[in-house]
Amino acid sequence: MLNLPNLLASLRILIAPVMFWIILNPQVFTANGFDITWNYYFASLLFVLASATDFFDGYIARQWNQMTMLGAILDPLADKMLTLAAFLGLMVMGDASPWAIYIIIVRELFITGLRTVGVSEGISVKASWSGKVKTVAQMIAIGFLLMHWPYGTALLWFAVFLTVYSGLEYLWGFKKAIMKESIV
């Protein structure tokens, strides 16, 4: 069902490759007489707007009782597309550690795989608080890195720590859910 929350998640999916392209093509700005910082500003603006849709789609879905199966799929997919587009663009441009990005991508693929197995087995493990905090930390780190602000790299590694922690917490929750299912 296509409702406002799902449209907002879809908008995030559309913004991700545009932002990725902007990060990778700063010459579009510099060749037209703009300072490179305009590239940073524009990529950051798109990222912040897209990130805001993440908050609003969830809020609207809950408040207006518009939670759908499509939304349950689109929302995390849109989040991953947006953050990975930013992280990969930053890594390619030399502004983010390849190891940090590798750890984040591996965690995201692993948890997505676990969710897929869970759905096929009728097991649902909801996102934890640490997963939400991880997403916010990643978004803040991306903002700092996109703008080339101080402490961007430190924030990235803090986000990596939270990414690993929330992944382990999710794995623990998944294990408990499987154990509970095998008892029943």
Side-chain angles (χ1 to χ4, degrees), residues 16-81:
V18 174
M19 181 196 60
F20 183 66
W21 183 85
I22 290 169
I23 293 169
L24 295 180
N25 293 288
Q27 70 277 6
V28 170
F29 291 91
T30 58
N32 289 304
F34 292 98
D35 189 74
I36 188 72
T37 55
W38 283 99
N39 176 271
Y40 307 156
Y41 298 149
F42 196 57
S44 297
L45 176 65
L46 285 176
F47 183 76
V48 167
L49 289 173
S51 296
T53 69
D54 183 30
F55 168 77
F56 286 112
D57 70 5
Y59 179 79
I60 292 168
R62 286 185 298 277
Q63 292 300 313
W64 295 358
N65 198 26
Q66 292 188 347
M67 299 187 321
T68 65
M69 183 60 75
L70 178 62
I73 294 167
L74 276 182
D75 183 56
L77 176 65
D79 292 347
K80 284 169 187 37
M81 288 178 70

Side-chain angles (χ1 to χ4, degrees), residues 69-164:
M69 183 60 75
L70 178 62
I73 294 167
L74 276 182
D75 183 56
L77 176 65
D79 292 347
K80 284 169 187 37
M81 288 178 70
L82 180 66
T83 56
L84 292 179
F87 279 138
L88 290 172
L90 288 161
M91 183 186 74
V92 168
M93 297 305 289
D95 296 322
S97 164
W99 279 107
I101 306 313
Y102 174 77
I103 292 167
I104 290 169
I105 290 172
V106 166
R107 183 268 188 205
E108 297 301 342
L109 291 173
F110 184 74
I111 297 305
T112 299
L114 275 182
R115 282 190 173 133
T116 303
V117 169
V119 167
S120 71
E121 297 293 322
I123 299 169
S124 174
V125 180
K126 302 236 183 220
S128 66
W129 244 153
S130 67
K132 294 178 189 309
V133 171
K134 174 263 315 176
T135 299
V136 170
Q138 286 180 355
M139 289 178 171
I140 291 169
I142 288 168
F144 271 70
L145 290 167
L146 283 173
M147 290 300 296
H148 294 83
W149 286 342
Y151 308 111
T153 300
L155 288 169
L156 172 61
W157 283 106
F158 179 67
V160 168
F161 169 77
L162 291 175
T163 298
V164 171

